[in-house]
Amino acid sequence: MKSKNVLLIFERKIMYKPIIYRLARDFDIIFNVLEAKILPKLEGRLILELHGTEESIQKSIDYLIGEGVQVQTLADKIVRDDERCVHCGACTSVCRVDALSINRTTMEVDFDHEVCVACGLCKIACPVNAMSGASIDLD
Amino acid sequence: MRIPAFMTVHTHQEREHTMSGVEIKKSYEEINKKIEEGKAVVVTAEEMPEIVAREGADGAFKKVDVVTTGTFGAMCSSGAFLNFGHTRPRIKASKVWLNNVEAYAGIAAVDCYIGATQVRENDPLNMVHPGRFKYGGGHVIEDLIARKRVKLKAVGYGTDCYPLKEYEAEITIDDLRDAILFNPRNAYQNYNCAVNLSGKTIYTYMGILKPDMVNAAYSSAGQLSPLLNDPFYWSIGTGTRIFLCGAAGSVVYSGTQHAPGAKRGRNGIPREGSGTISVIGNMKEMDRRFIRGASFTGYGCSLMVGIGIPIPVLNKDMAYFTGRSDKDIFCQVVDYGSDYPSNNGRTLGEVSYTELKSGRIEFMGKTIETAPLSSYPMARMIAQTLKEWIMKGFTLGVPQTPLPTVPYGRQHETG
């Protein structure tokens, strides 16, 4: 089993069409809604954690794209500048999903991209401006 | 003729009897001779506890000559004296800006002091709370050390001897005649652990604190922190040679707010913010890896500074102190929602650095997630680097003016 966090953007013309339920019914995907925002008559935004085999995750993403959903992989959205990061740990207190966590042996901050939901809070918490990239709530 | 006491410079021998009544069983001279011969035994403050546990304070005193320490964190009371050299024609600058950040220019013609927390002109500050404070004095200092180009602007009112009224140039640190980092308060001996008892998220110099004590922030290297390893400042004073942001710097004096009389544990180690030092060093020799301009959302700009101090194991008690570890060091938990801003002096309780560094503390019936603000990996790297320096011949400075202290007495137990 694999896991992947994705941001789905439903434009106005498809935002009231039932699509998500088919991920479970047709592709055997276990999905978990991490965040959802619906701007009535404008746009819907959904962050999903997809659990399944690598093949079923890929097929479900292809299906979503076929339905006109914009799919963005969250693991690629927030990046850390390893030259700037000093491993102070300030970001770990705001990270909602523990994508940023302290390795208790090295006391360094580990960044697990696969778990990141691109909320962007680390960008506000980082004192040395090491975190960048587009996030859901900000910019 | 009698010489006033303050005019005498202590020699190594004299110091052994005079400094705070501290018994010196291994002299600076002896240790420095060993360092010069490459025979000194140097360990980090992280390695020392195991040696003391294994061989006792007496055995560790005989075995180890120097213990190196380190810390890396935001130290707001920092800044730099810069002299940009006399212009042609001359200017007596009354206001100076570097990358649009004002430096205090109320000193001689082309001297100024850039403070770490000064924000750039026209920064929106907290107009839309929380402000981001993207660039300030700390960032200017980092950019200079990184040898980036910086815009310098100076204005003067014009005098007979200094006629020029405006000067602008793009410079690097190498164009400056002098660049001296001079921080009036650094390396706080212990610090608060911050929580927020209020009902809303607050943005502080201790980071983002969520309501109802969901998280706690601390900012000390604990067992590696310089002043916690020499809790009565027996070996630290004016002239102590230190690691300062990658260069060899010095302790100048006690820092502002130095408070040796703070609450101490039975092991003599302060349980709250107490001693501080002011430090100095040549910015041109510093390494950008060990310094960072900092922005604390909702609070302001600052500077992250890397400091390491070598602690000579002068006697058995010093071996005991340097042998303490995170479990022996406690700090106060303080509410930054209301108690800290109102300055009512209230603390909520104490926790040890072992608990803090585990990632969560059990406190007031709650499990609270903890996060550091000072970098332990950097502190470790600094202590290790300083250890290597000493093994290659970096000798210890003999403190000439000791920091004000309190006696180490019967109320303290060496366990």
Side-chain angles (χ1 to χ4, degrees):
Chain A
M1 291 283 269
K2 286 250 169 186
S3 170
K4 190 174 184 130
N5 290 344
V6 288
L7 164 67
L8 308 180
I9 300 172
F10 297 75
E11 281 180 358
R12 188 177 172 171
K13 60 180 188 293
I14 58 161
M15 71 182 285
Y16 294 108
K17 191 175 169 188
I19 292 172
I20 297 301
Y21 81 104
R22 288 192 55 190
L23 297 182
R25 201 191 68 181
D26 299 351
F27 300 97
D28 206 17
I29 291 285
I30 301 165
F31 64 82
N32 188 12
V33 181
L34 298 175
E35 218 171 304
K37 275 202 175 117
I38 294 169
L39 308 168
K41 294 187 179 174
L42 276 177
E43 188 178 275
R45 288 178 161 235
L46 197 58
I47 295 178
L48 287 189
E49 183 184 5
L50 305 175
H51 275 286
T53 62
E54 200 164 347
E55 195 195 350
S56 62
I57 289 175
Q58 194 50 53
K59 276 188 177 163
S60 66
I61 289 173
D62 292 342
Y63 158 73
L64 290 166
I65 293 168
E67 291 286 352
V69 179
Q70 289 177 42
V71 182
Q72 295 182 15
T73 303
L74 294 181
D76 310 331
K77 288 186 82 75
I78 299 283
V79 290
R80 176 168 74 179
D81 181 342
D82 290 325
E83 291 276 294
R84 281 209 68 72
C85 175
V86 291
H87 297 274
C88 68
C91 55
T92 62
S93 69
V94 294
C95 183
R96 297 172 182 179
V97 289
D98 291 337
L100 291 154
S101 63
I102 293 179
N103 175 324
R104 296 291 152 189
T105 311
T106 62
M107 289 305 280
E108 288 184 355
V109 178
D110 290 341
F111 183 20
D112 184 349
H113 295 255
E114 297 300 325
V115 183
C116 175
V117 293
C119 69
L121 284 176
C122 53
K123 294 200 293 178
I124 305 177
C126 177
V128 297
N129 196 23
M131 308 303 292
S132 63
S135 49
I136 307 305
D137 291 348
L138 308 157
D139 304 318
Chain B
M1 195 184 83
R2 281 181 57 199
I3 300 169
F6 66 84
M7 285 184 68
T8 59
V9 172
H10 295 295
T11 64
H12 300 268
Q13 284 77 17
E14 277 174 324
R15 284 231 65 80
E16 286 168 32
H17 304 290
T18 55
M19 199 175 60
S20 319
V22 176
E23 206 182 7
I24 297 186
K25 297 276 193 173
K26 199 189 281 174
S27 70
Y28 286 90
E29 225 166 23
E30 201 180 324
I31 296 172
N32 279 340
K33 192 162 174 277
K34 280 193 186 174
I35 293 172
E36 277 161 6
E37 289 168 355
K39 289 178 187 160
V41 176
V42 190
V43 302
T44 70
E46 217 176 19
E47 294 161 339
M48 189 65 168
E50 202 190 305
I51 299 170
V52 175
R54 199 174 58 228
E55 316 204 0
D58 209 29
F61 158 68
K62 285 180 188 136
K63 185 171 189 170
V64 180
D65 300 308
V66 183
V67 177
T68 61
T69 62
T71 187
F72 185 94
M75 305 189 198
C76 287
S77 212
S78 298
F81 282 107
L82 309 175
N83 177 299
F84 53 88
H86 285 288
T87 54
R88 194 171 293 169
R90 290 179 192 268
I91 188 169
K92 176 178 164 335
S94 49
K95 278 185 181 287
V96 172
W97 296 264
L98 292 128
N99 280 352
N100 213 21
V101 180
E102 188 172 0
Y104 178 74
I107 40 180
V110 289
D111 279 328
C112 63
Y113 184 81
I114 178 114
T117 67
Q118 186 73 41
V119 295
R120 69 188 161 172
E121 297 287 329
N122 303 318
D123 189 284
L125 306 173
N126 266 337
M127 303 257 262
V128 180
H129 189 265
R132 300 297 288 272
F133 302 95
K134 285 202 155 125
Y135 196 86
H139 299 90
V140 172
I141 291 170
E142 182 193 333
D143 282 347
L144 284 169
I145 291 170
R147 290 190 151 66
K148 287 190 184 161
R149 300 192 74 76
V150 168
K151 273 191 185 139
L152 170 83
K153 188 183 170 190
V155 294
Y157 44 77
T159 73
D160 290 341
C161 42
Y162 293 93
L164 194 64
K165 288 187 177 165
E166 223 179 292
Y167 178 73
E168 274 186 61
E170 233 186 54
I171 54 136
T172 70
I173 196 169
D174 298 311
D175 301 315
L176 294 172
R177 194 183 184 289
D178 309 280
I180 303 160
L181 195 73
F182 188 170
N183 305 341
R185 180 173 70 255
N186 277 181
Y188 234 122
Q189 187 180 27
N190 216 338
Y191 211 78
N192 295 337
C193 165
V195 295
N196 173 16
L197 287 178
S198 82
K200 63 175 182 31
T201 297
I202 56 171
Y203 298 84
T204 74
Y205 70 87
M206 292 294 282
I208 300 170
L209 299 170
K210 289 182 253 182
D212 304 317
M213 224 163 55
V214 167
N215 65 324
Y218 64 97
S219 189
S220 170
Q223 63 191 4
L224 266 178
S225 183
L227 270 58
L228 287 173
N229 278 281
D230 182 1
F232 295 93
Y233 335 110
W234 291 342
S235 73
I236 301 171
T238 303
T240 298
R241 276 153 51 80
I242 62 171
F243 172 107
L244 182 59
C245 307
S250 296
V251 172
V252 180
Y253 207 65
S254 50
T256 52
Q257 296 179 23
H258 176 69
K263 178 155 67 171
R264 289 172 189 263
R266 298 186 74 174
N267 59 14
I269 297 174
R271 300 170 98 86
E272 60 185 350
S274 37
T276 71
I277 48 173
S278 55
V279 299
I280 199 163
N282 185 355
M283 259 168 76
K284 294 190 182 193
E285 293 167 4
M286 290 177 187
D287 182 338
R288 71 174 305 187
R289 286 182 301 157
F290 299 107
I291 196 148
R292 284 289 186 292
S295 305
F296 288 93
T297 298
Y299 169 74
C301 296
S302 188
L303 184 66
M304 283 185 156
V305 179
I307 295 180
I309 303 186
I311 311 289
V313 187
L314 303 170
N315 55 36
K316 186 174 109 156
D317 289 336
M318 202 71 119
Y320 168 79
F321 292 138
T322 49
R324 295 308 88 202
S325 63
D326 285 332
K327 68 179 191 321
D328 308 306
I329 309 170
F330 291 81
C331 70
Q332 303 296 314
V333 182
V334 174
D335 167 38
Y336 275 61
S338 164
D339 291 339
Y340 183 88
S342 68
N343 197 11
N344 64 13
R346 188 169 82 122
T347 66
L348 304 172
E350 291 185 344
V351 287
S352 77
Y353 281 96
T354 298
E355 292 168 272
L356 287 168
K357 285 182 187 171
S358 74
R360 51 188 51 83
I361 51 172
E362 300 295 327
F363 190 72
M364 291 170 75
K366 281 186 85 167
T367 302
I368 306 167
E369 286 197 25
T370 62
L373 276 168
S374 97
S375 169
Y376 197 74
M378 290 293 287
R380 202 177 248 167
M381 197 203 290
I382 289 166
Q384 186 61 35
T385 307
L386 183 55
K387 174 179 164 177
E388 284 157 21
W389 282 9
I390 295 169
M391 297 203 308
K392 284 180 195 152
F394 181 84
T395 53
L396 308 183
V398 183
Q400 295 295 316
T401 306
L403 306 187
T405 188
V406 292
Y408 174 47
R410 283 201 197 94
Q411 75 275 25
H412 310 119
E413 275 178 6
T414 49

